[in-house]
Amino acid sequence: MTGARRPHTGRRRNEAAREAILAAAAGLLAHGEVGISVDTIAAAAGVGKQTIYRWWPSKGAVLLEAAVAQAEIQAPVPDTGSLGQDLDVFLVATFRTVAANKSLLRNAMAEALRDDAAAKVLKEFAVSRRAALAEILERAQQRGVAIEDRDLTLDQAFGVLWYRILFEHDELDEQAAERLAAALARSAAG
Amino acid sequence: MTGARRPHTGRRRNEAAREAILAAAAGLLAHGEVGISVDTIAAAAGVGKQTIYRWWPSKGAVLLEAAVAQAEIQAPVPDTGSLGQDLDVFLVATFRTVAANKSLLRNAMAEALRDDAAAKVLKEFAVSRRAALAEILERAQQRGVAIEDRDLTLDQAFGVLWYRILFEHDELDEQAAERLAAALARSAAG
Amino acid sequence: MTGARRPHTGRRRNEAAREAILAAAAGLLAHGEVGISVDTIAAAAGVGKQTIYRWWPSKGAVLLEAAVAQAEIQAPVPDTGSLGQDLDVFLVATFRTVAANKSLLRNAMAEALRDDAAAKVLKEFAVSRRAALAEILERAQQRGVAIEDRDLTLDQAFGVLWYRILFEHDELDEQAAERLAAALARSAAG
Amino acid sequence: MTGARRPHTGRRRNEAAREAILAAAAGLLAHGEVGISVDTIAAAAGVGKQTIYRWWPSKGAVLLEAAVAQAEIQAPVPDTGSLGQDLDVFLVATFRTVAANKSLLRNAMAEALRDDAAAKVLKEFAVSRRAALAEILERAQQRGVAIEDRDLTLDQAFGVLWYRILFEHDELDEQAAERLAAALARSAAG
DNA sequence: TTCTAACCGAGACGGTACGTCCTGTCTTCGT
DNA sequence: ACGAAGACAGGACGTACCGTCTCGGTTAGAA
């Protein structure tokens, strides 16, 4: 990765360097490494360490930004007209993405637990994901479906997700997503 | 803490030293410290570093064992004859203990994500807590209550718990426990 | 000593740090300490331990370099026209310097016996001192004085010196130097 | 070496254990090892560490005693009636023994430089060797040979010996011994 | 056009923690 | 009382990493 010679951009920020850093970080995170060091990221990106610290406040912040950028789910919020189906589509897509980025997300959480700047990024990510699911519930309510406890429903969805990411005791496959969707539909619109 | 002179026990393991180490580790964990070092633990316990490494494979393993020992919930599995009530009692007690040990559990997870030995201890802890809740559901089934998906119900309970421990976006109070208990009762015995 | 703030030198080696390390090491050596630790040197020099290990292969190598730099005798090779007088002047000066640095030299030898890198430095020092004395003998030969066995004469001079440094059974004063000079003159130019 | 089962001797000191310790220490010393630890000696001797510390004040003391016992030269003080011949015989025998135990003696000196108890043993050894050579000179004097400076002559002999042991710049063979003997004869009885 | 300020790769630096090794002491259990 | 075994407190070792700093070089845009 070091080989990619980037042209200097004079006194403007070098966007290519920024991308190389995030790419290198994402690569190391996804690879499941545990002790990722700044030197390693810098070397993998072919970048000086200072270039990292010029733009991010700490190692954790870089890793988190890389993780979030990587895990950013393309899954658009579905709108099938049925709460059950919306939940199912959303969760199946979410589980799929998460399963593909599991070690990255575990690493992200590990960083967030030690680094406030990283925690902030992870929380923003979580908030944006919650908003997507909240929209689905919101629409159902507007259609007249009674939702018992919206926040708790969101916690249950993402709680199960993160619990399985972190404890690895059970699968993160399509079937798991569908069962969770069904349970949430029962519980929310009890 | 260093002052506590312990009698040597010759060529048998010194149980007092073991306890001093776990107590020191638990104290530091509970205090919410983030960068707990082995030297700090050793100094606080009045112990040589080697005595820690003689009995635990890594720093994470000590911290986890200390955390688990500390968080080990006394809450006996309730048996009120009603699933809803059992869930309520169990979760209220669990939330209370967890709230009192939140930073300890966050630290524990941080260690577990970096250290396999620590992860093992945390998983054993999780398994034992799941077993307690599983017993409640089991008894309900034996009383004829139809439980839709037992494992998923357990994941929902502990998922919400850990999600709130780690993301700190919402309370871990009695009311939250009761709302979760109600939702689980609806969802499980739909 | 720690207080002496040194300016950073960017990516070039910081010569001031190098000197601070050698000065700190020499200070500890001269003080007659026996168990000099790298941490102690680093602390005394106001330097990180890694800065020592970046430039020296081992503790012994630093200590030896410091010892040699310190003991490097200013005594210029005398040229009085008489072998006996040259020997006398050289040995008196050498004995004086050695006596003033005895514990430093003992420490240096202790390191050299345990550390190959240190041994190398000590040997280079010994070679340079031998060369100085050899020059005196050489000049005497050119003047027509018959030297029986030059290498052995050198060994006798430095042998007596080190023997007294290490075994401390006898003085290293001016009188001793003069008696040795006389004996060597007798023996060499027998 | 551990295998050699020794019978317990009840409450009397076990002489076999003492010998096993010295033998193990001598073995390690002769082998040229540099970082000889007490555990290593104890294990090689099939002995508990405490058994070593019960009888010797420090690691260095054991090693030195072992070294001295090993190097103890059998060479009886010769009495040929001629100073030159006596010196020759004595030094040739001494050099031979020393050459065979060089790394042992280097190790011994390394210990002595760090351990006072060891230094004491080494000095006693040196004194006894000096006494042997002094006897030769004494007898020559009684025969009417004028000895210029007896102590210095002793220093020259043992100085050259130790200098070559420690700096390893030249041989310790028979020829070296003979040349030294000749030089000393010239120098002493100038 | 020249100057200068911000960027970049590189890597040394002070400092903290790691996990290992060793010393000399202490205690148990067996002879 | 002694011996084998080995845990213990303490402390040094050499390595890894963090975040800061400076160097020497490049380029964009202000003077």
Side-chain angles (χ1 to χ4, degrees), chain D residues 38-148:
Chain D
V38 177
D39 289 87
T40 309
I41 301 172
V47 138
K49 229 183 341 172
Q50 189 59 42
T51 302
I52 293 179
Y53 282 107
R54 214 189 316 274
W55 302 108
W56 287 273
S58 67
K59 181 181 66 158
V62 198
L63 289 174
L64 250 293
E65 186 169 330
V68 164
Q70 198 72 11
E72 201 70 39
I73 304 170
Q74 267 59 28
V77 182
D79 187 2
T80 62
S82 138
L83 173 57
Q85 282 218 319
D86 279 3
L87 282 173
D88 194 281
V89 170
F90 179 84
L91 288 176
V92 165
T94 299
F95 270 50
R96 199 186 344 264
T97 311
V98 159
N101 293 286
K102 195 172 69 171
S103 66
L104 182 148
L105 288 166
R106 290 169 57 84
N107 262 312
M109 177 59 80
E111 291 300 328
L113 284 171
R114 292 182 191 261
D115 184 305
D116 285 345
K120 194 159 165 292
V121 177
L122 182 59
K123 277 176 188 162
E124 283 165 10
F125 173 66
V127 164
S128 106
R129 295 283 80 213
R130 281 176 80 85
L133 184 50
E135 197 183 321
I136 289 174
L137 299 179
E138 170 74 18
R139 261 203 311 266
Q141 279 183 303
Q142 284 171 358
R143 282 195 307 267
V145 181
I147 303 284
E148 199 75 30

Side-chain angles (χ1 to χ4, degrees), chain A residues 118-128, chain B residues 106 166-169:
Chain A
K120 195 159 162 290
V121 177
L122 183 59
K123 276 176 189 164
E124 283 164 11
F125 173 66
V127 164
S128 105
Chain B
R106 289 170 57 84
L166 297 172
F167 284 90
E168 295 186 301
H169 63 104

Side-chain angles (χ1 to χ4, degrees), chain C residues 104-170:
Chain C
L104 183 149
L105 290 166
R106 290 170 57 84
N107 262 312
M109 177 60 79
E111 292 299 330
L113 285 170
R114 293 185 188 258
D115 183 305
D116 284 346
K120 194 158 163 293
V121 178
L122 183 59
K123 277 176 190 164
E124 283 165 11
F125 173 64
V127 164
S128 106
R129 295 285 79 212
R130 282 176 77 86
L133 185 49
E135 196 183 322
I136 290 173
L137 300 180
E138 169 75 18
R139 262 204 308 268
Q141 279 182 302
Q142 283 170 358
R143 283 193 307 265
V145 181
I147 303 286
E148 198 73 32
D149 189 334
R150 194 156 79 192
D151 277 350
L152 184 57
T153 304
L154 295 173
D155 282 10
Q156 280 179 284
F158 292 108
V160 169
L161 192 62
W162 276 103
Y163 187 57
R164 291 200 177 180
I165 291 170
L166 297 171
F167 285 91
E168 296 186 301
H169 62 104
D170 212 337

